[in-house]
Amino acid sequence: MRSREVRLAQRPVGEPKPEDFELAEVELGEPEDGRLLVRNAFMSVDPYMRGRMNDAKSYVPPYELGKVMYGGAVGEVVAGGEPGSLVVHQLGWREAALVDADRVQPGAVPDGVSPSALLGALGMPGLTAWVGVTEIAPIAEGETVFVSAAAGAVGSVAGQIAKARGCRVIGSAGAPEKVAYVRDVLGFDAAFSHRDDVRAALAEAAPDGVDVYFDNVGGPQLEAAIGALTRGGRIALCGAVSQYNATELAPGPRNLGLLVGKRGRMRGFIVSDHAASQDAFLDEVGGLLADGRLVLAESIVEGGIEAAPRAFVEMLRGEHLGKVVVRLSDR
């Protein structure tokens, strides 16, 4: 089988550009024992991938120049296993892949739900959201929870979990249509644009303060949340997408000292450290999705593998709602 794949041609400076990527074609042979040949149906584009494009030490190795990029994908087994069965793996950014059988997860979705959900609400972003609000900054019924990037892949799920658990939930987003989506479709109690005066908007939405803040963006919103935090409040540091394309370090929150008097707790986390929570996460979020109590916030970008770099950049710019995936083949 021949397959096309996206490689990293050069390391981006600031926002990635088309010339930072290259498309190549390879021949995939028959799978050896213990391997599967998988035709990818959907691939994921995620904010963390921007950091991997830099030649910098991090919690995961950087992408190599001239080599295929990789990330989450869901596809159909062609050979080496049960033909037609769905699997989730980490060899995205390509139309097909030879994957070690012990490096895939079986894919299962509720009736009527697209397999792409395995890359979103039922995948890594969903687990990230669940871990953040249950383990890192545990929520409790009746509390006020603030979620930034609430129309995004992680934030949309984090806020809906909090709402299902009896919390009052506030979300921030960018464009007016995203703010409306968070409030009117996802069911948040209040929402505002991060382009406004965040401190004032948060004070209006949460006059009694914020018990838990789920941070996806860093920057001014983190500073505003620290200022609004209640005594004993918790902050889950999930991401800092507002700074991923920055060419120099951004200043940190100026009010960290408030955490002392507030007895506040701020903790960063990486979802790969929490694989043991997978079953509990799927039980809760899978149930919410099957019951219709959780809206699948998702944008599917058409155009095949050629569209992947564009989808990636658009995702970083915040041009799509929810989890952004690229359709690679029909299933």
Side-chain angles (χ1 to χ4, degrees), residues 208-287:
D208 296 325
V210 170
D211 299 298
V212 171
Y213 172 46
F214 193 107
D215 183 32
N216 287 303
V217 299
Q221 293 193 72
L222 175 57
E223 185 172 293
I226 292 173
L229 206 66
T230 58
R231 179 170 174 171
R234 289 86 68 202
I235 297 175
L237 297 175
C238 175
V241 71
S242 67
Q243 301 166 20
Y244 288 168
N245 285 328
T247 56
E248 57 184 42
L249 289 176
R254 298 165 295 180
N255 58 351
L256 284 174
L258 291 178
L259 292 174
V260 179
K262 292 172 180 284
R263 287 76 157 176
R265 186 176 70 204
M266 186 163 64
R267 179 183 171 192
F269 71 106
I270 300 297
V271 68
S272 57
D273 296 335
H274 299 268
S277 299
Q278 179 78 4
D279 290 344
F281 146 67
L282 287 176
D283 283 346
E284 180 170 0
V285 176

Side-chain angles (χ1 to χ4, degrees), residues 287-321:
L288 292 174
L289 186 60
D291 294 344
R293 290 183 292 156
L294 186 141
V295 175
L296 183 61
E298 178 183 70
S299 293
I300 297 177
V301 176
E302 305 290 349
I305 193 69
E306 296 96 336
R310 171 175 58 84
F312 176 60
V313 173
E314 290 173 350
M315 178 272 303
L316 290 174
R317 291 175 180 168
E319 295 184 11
H320 296 286
L321 286 170

Side-chain angles (χ1 to χ4, degrees), residues 4-287:
R4 292 178 298 167
E5 61 188 29
V6 176
R7 297 175 179 175
L8 182 63
Q10 60 185 20
R11 300 203 183 277
V13 177
E15 182 178 275
K17 303 177 292 297
E19 54 265 33
D20 297 328
F21 307 89
E22 61 183 9
L23 192 63
E25 187 170 324
V26 296
E27 180 70 38
L28 299 178
E30 290 298 313
E32 301 173 352
D33 288 346
R35 307 196 82 193
L36 306 174
L37 177 60
V38 179
R39 179 185 294 110
N40 290 334
F42 298 95
M43 61 159 279
S44 176
V45 290
D46 300 285
Y48 80 86
M49 294 174 175
R50 177 60 186 87
R52 301 192 74 173
M53 298 175 77
N54 299 328
D55 188 13
K57 185 176 181 180
S58 183
Y59 61 93
V60 287
Y63 293 129
E64 296 182 61
L65 287 176
K67 299 289 184 67
V68 62
M69 297 170 63
Y70 46 93
V74 57
E76 191 174 76
V77 173
V78 175
E82 182 182 348
S85 58
L86 272 181
V87 293
V88 181
H89 59 88
Q90 289 299 310
L91 296 184
W93 291 89
R94 65 197 90 192
E95 294 174 318
L98 287 167
V99 191
D100 292 339
D102 60 0
R103 302 298 294 272
V104 306
Q105 294 179 327
V109 293
D111 290 342
V113 175
S114 169
S116 55
L118 296 166
L119 302 176
L122 296 179
M124 180 270 289
L127 177 59
T128 301
W130 189 89
V131 167
V133 299
T134 63
E135 298 180 7
I136 305 302
I139 58 175
E141 185 177 356
E143 290 190 317
T144 296
V145 178
F146 171 38
V147 181
S148 57
V154 175
S156 61
V157 179
Q160 291 186 86
I161 294 172
K163 187 66 180 172
R165 288 191 172 206
C167 296
R168 182 172 186 271
V169 184
I170 300 162
S172 66
E177 57 269 24
K178 285 192 171 184
V179 174
Y181 180 81
V182 168
R183 183 186 58 244
D184 301 336
V185 179
L186 300 184
F188 284 45
D189 296 283
F192 60 84
S193 174
H194 66 75
R195 299 170 184 170
D196 299 332
D197 182 333
V198 175
R199 190 183 300 272
L202 191 54
E204 181 178 355
D208 296 325
V210 170
D211 299 298
V212 171
Y213 172 46
F214 193 107
D215 183 32
N216 287 303
V217 299
Q221 293 193 72
L222 175 57
E223 185 172 293
I226 292 173
L229 206 66
T230 58
R231 179 170 174 171
R234 289 86 68 202
I235 297 175
L237 297 175
C238 175
V241 71
S242 67
Q243 301 166 20
Y244 288 168
N245 285 328
T247 56
E248 57 184 42
L249 289 176
R254 298 165 295 180
N255 58 351
L256 284 174
L258 291 178
L259 292 174
V260 179
K262 292 172 180 284
R263 287 76 157 176
R265 186 176 70 204
M266 186 163 64
R267 179 183 171 192
F269 71 106
I270 300 297
V271 68
S272 57
D273 296 335
H274 299 268
S277 299
Q278 179 78 4
D279 290 344
F281 146 67
L282 287 176
D283 283 346
E284 180 170 0
V285 176

